[in-house]
Amino acid sequence: MTEDGATTRVGVIILAAGQGKRMRSSLPKVLHCLGGKPLLSYPLKAARQQKPERIAVVVGHGAEQVEATFAGNDVVWALQENQLGTGDAVRCARRYFEGFSGDLLILSGDVPFVSTRTLATVLMRHRQEQAVLSLLTASLTNPKGYGRIVRAADGSLRGIVEERDASGEEQAIREVNAGIYTARPHFLFSALAEITNRNDQGEYYLPDIVGVALSQAKKVATVRLDDEAEIRGINTREELAMMERVLQERINRRWMGAGVTLKDPHTTYIEEEVVIGKDIVIGPNTHLLGHTVIGERCRIDGNAYLTDARLGDGVHLKFNVVITDSVLEEKVEVGPFSHLRPGTVLKRNVHIGNFVEVKNSTVGEGTKASHLTYIGDASVGSETNIGAGTITCNYDGFLKYRTTIGDRVQIGSDTQLVAPVAVGDDAYVGAGSTVTEDVPAGALALSRTQQKNIPGWVERFRARQKKKGEN
Ligand code: UD1
Ligand code: CA
């Protein structure tokens, strides 16, 4: 219950059926990503925080794709077969709110940053003022593309006019419609029956219900916001990029405040769910994505692309690394130019050097693979040294096989380990070997042909060639 005794029941309608023509894309607009997540996930999250009884998402363009992307979410899908405008879109969700007597919150699928607090304020004002309709507005330095809020000289609301229908004078208005409303269901659906599509786009405009309310002398409340970013909608790729920047700056500021040094915040991209410890130094062009977790006192030199990576304390990533779904324990060093693919586990103090790729493998404590190596589907023990140019040959074109290497092993340079194969503890493999059979613990394996030196051969060869030339 609120102060005035009204119920706090809330239902939500999110409008997401439009194609997003201005994106010039075959992907529905609400599936374009911002901060690594589809646009629609933002209003959805904000909606959930109002603890609604039901969330209806109106879909149309690419409906199947949108529904599949959000499968498993606690929402109902309302289909708008033809995109006849935002007013028509709301009408399509009507059947989910038959008999519902709470407040309906209407959000746009393309307005991602509206805060929980703002939505709560709109709902509260709506109840306090006992309005049939409440809307969120803001004054923008550049109001281009938005519906303008038209007011009388005394400041009272007169209506909303879309930019393409606005007179020159109206276009100069800087207060705009955020596309976020609260309405009483009974008023909303009866008003929607009255609007027409007599406008420049031939569409049924949801904002036209403002005019309906005013003509019936019903109360319309407005909440005016100061924060521009909160109400910004995304219609073009340029706006998407701008919002990406806004989001990034916000996240980077938060991490700098928490003790993380960002050498170049403009080229540091950290996604929302990432967790970073204290005293971390992060160089330019670093991407920390997904559920990446960084321990304390780590150094990331730069050009790093980490997705779902877990770094323990004191890890050092040298310039140019790509790490996906991998675990790096304390004090591991990786790079420059290394690629850790899914399923990699590097135990404490492992060193992975330049042009080394590791996939679906565990590498034991203190082991080093410093140059030009592929370790795939392998278990490598601790304190082992993998020489330059070593390759686990794990694939026969049909199946993948495992390679097992023990502790304190020395794998000579340019070795091929043809899986399935095992190298026992303390074994040595001579450089240039192709290992096809298991190597027992403590043994030396050699598979290269024996070297033959032919004394004086060069002198004889040269003499022969010279003679040929004279003939
Ligand atoms: C809309 C408002 C405008 C406001 C702006 C704020 C209208 C007519 N105009 O304009 O006053 O300033 O938002 O961002 O409402 N949609 C459907 N079905 C449709 C048409 C649109 O579901 O038939 C959805 C879109 O997918 C989008 C949302 O409604 O998520 C808004 O539509 P859009 O075309 O982006 O409206 P704007 O021109 O931005
Ligand atoms: Ca829009």
Side-chain angles (χ1 to χ4, degrees):
M1 303 280 266
T2 54
E3 293 154 84
D4 62 328
T7 63
T8 54
R9 297 177 65 199
V10 179
V12 177
I13 299 174
I14 303 178
L15 307 185
Q19 175 185 5
K21 288 189 201 81
R22 291 162 276 183
M23 297 294 280
R24 305 200 188 286
S25 172
S26 53
L27 191 69
K29 179 163 70 175
V30 291
L31 293 187
H32 278 261
C33 279
L34 178 67
K37 283 188 281 237
L39 269 183
L40 180 58
S41 65
Y42 291 85
L44 205 50
K45 186 174 171 195
R48 275 205 197 97
Q49 280 159 343
Q50 304 307 317
K51 309 223 173 336
E53 290 181 15
R54 169 166 282 184
I55 300 175
V57 183
V58 184
V59 286
H61 186 83
E64 278 176 24
Q65 216 179 338
V66 177
E67 288 179 37
T69 306
F70 287 86
N73 276 268
D74 49 345
V75 303
V76 291
W77 302 101
L79 186 66
Q80 184 192 27
E81 275 187 45
N82 300 306
Q83 282 69 66
L84 305 177
T86 47
D88 178 70
V90 171
R91 256 191 314 235
C92 294
R94 178 179 189 159
R95 66 190 176 96
Y96 291 117
F97 298 96
E98 295 292 354
F100 179 73
S101 60
D103 297 312
L104 270 178
L105 186 61
I106 303 169
L107 303 178
S108 281
D110 63 349
V111 180
F113 292 157
V114 65
S115 71
T116 309
R117 190 152 54 122
T118 297
L119 294 183
T121 306
V122 177
L123 278 164
M124 195 180 67
R125 189 76 61 82
H126 180 70
R127 288 163 185 157
Q128 278 170 351
E129 300 199 15
Q130 304 198 330
V132 292
L133 176 68
S134 301
L135 32 118
L136 185 62
T137 77
S139 286
L140 302 184
T141 29
N142 175 13
K144 198 171 176 307
Y146 290 81
R148 308 293 207 282
I149 303 291
V150 184
R151 294 184 185 272
D154 65 355
S156 61
L157 185 65
R158 279 284 156 267
I160 300 177
V161 58
E162 290 306 302
E163 181 168 89
R164 40 206 301 174
D165 303 303
S167 65
E169 204 178 315
E170 287 165 336
Q171 287 195 11
I173 300 171
R174 299 227 319 261
E175 190 185 4
V176 304
N177 169 29
I180 288 165
Y181 319 78
T182 301
R184 291 206 193 150
H186 178 76
F187 162 76
L188 175 69
F189 294 114
S190 64
L192 283 174
E194 290 186 33
I195 61 172
T196 71
N197 62 354
R198 286 195 292 274
N199 50 53
D200 185 60
Q201 293 197 88
E203 288 188 355
Y204 293 91
Y205 287 165
L206 177 58
D208 284 359
I209 62 172
V210 172
V212 177
L214 296 176
S215 73
Q216 296 172 355
K218 288 185 171 140
K219 175 82 187 168
V220 180
T222 57
V223 174
R224 203 164 169 158
L225 259 198
D226 297 327
D227 183 357
E228 282 204 12
E230 257 201 62
I231 74 124
R232 283 270 174 205
I234 295 177
N235 297 317
T236 63
R237 303 224 188 208
E238 201 179 328
E239 284 165 342
L240 181 64
M242 199 176 81
M243 296 294 265
E244 185 78 50
R245 167 115 296 176
V246 168
L247 179 64
Q248 228 22 265
E249 278 174 4
R250 225 186 256 180
I251 294 175
N252 289 351
R253 224 178 290 133
R254 172 155 61 85
W255 284 118
M256 289 188 277
V260 176
T261 295
L262 302 181
K263 287 189 177 168
D264 185 11
H266 295 294
T267 63
T268 306
Y269 306 87
I270 304 173
E271 285 184 359
E272 193 78 49
E273 272 84 28
V274 170
V275 178
I276 310 178
K278 276 205 210 87
D279 289 321
I280 308 293
V281 179
I282 295 177
N285 202 18
T286 294
H287 302 246
L288 304 178
L289 313 179
H291 289 90
T292 291
V293 178
I294 313 282
E296 302 198 343
R297 299 177 305 284
C298 291
R299 274 161 63 201
I300 300 178
D301 292 350
N303 264 14
Y305 197 92
L306 275 55
T307 311
D308 299 327
R310 289 203 351 245
L311 274 55
D313 296 342
V315 167
H316 182 191
L317 303 182
K318 297 173 189 171
F319 216 71
N320 277 306
V321 293
V322 176
I323 302 178
T324 309
D325 194 11
S326 296
V327 178
L328 281 62
E329 291 186 358
E330 251 175 276
K331 296 193 174 145
V332 160
E333 279 184 23
V334 177
F337 303 98
S338 313
H339 189 187
L340 306 182
R341 292 169 51 208
T344 295
V345 177
L346 306 180
K347 302 282 190 186
R348 285 166 53 102
N349 289 314
V350 163
H351 287 198
I352 297 293
N354 40 206
F355 308 106
V356 175
E357 172 182 342
V358 186
K359 183 214 76 172
N360 189 29
S361 297
T362 300
V363 181
E365 223 175 291
T367 287
K368 294 186 171 72
S370 300
H371 339 264
L372 302 152
T373 286
Y374 174 57
I375 301 174
D377 301 307
S379 306
V380 184
S382 55
E383 305 301 333
T384 282
N385 190 61
I386 311 274
T390 296
I391 290 170
T392 55
C393 312
N394 58 335
Y395 188 46
D396 65 4
F398 296 94
L399 295 171
K400 302 258 167 87
Y401 302 94
R402 288 200 75 80
T403 300
T404 307
I405 300 172
D407 298 337
R408 299 171 301 281
V409 170
Q410 294 290 325
I411 306 279
S413 298
D414 191 24
T415 292
Q416 300 97 54
L417 298 151
V418 183
V421 75
V423 180
D425 291 345
D426 300 291
Y428 271 58
V429 175
S433 293
T434 301
V435 180
T436 54
E437 280 165 34
D438 289 358
V439 181
L444 165 67
L446 282 175
S447 77
R448 59 190 185 223
T449 51
Q450 211 165 0
Q451 184 172 330
K452 190 161 106 183
N453 291 336
I454 305 172
W457 181 88
V458 176
E459 203 182 326
R460 292 197 296 276
F461 172 73
R462 284 186 182 151
R464 240 179 4 247
Q465 295 305 98
K466 199 169 166 222
K467 212 164 174 189
K468 272 189 203 163
E470 284 164 2
N471 288 339

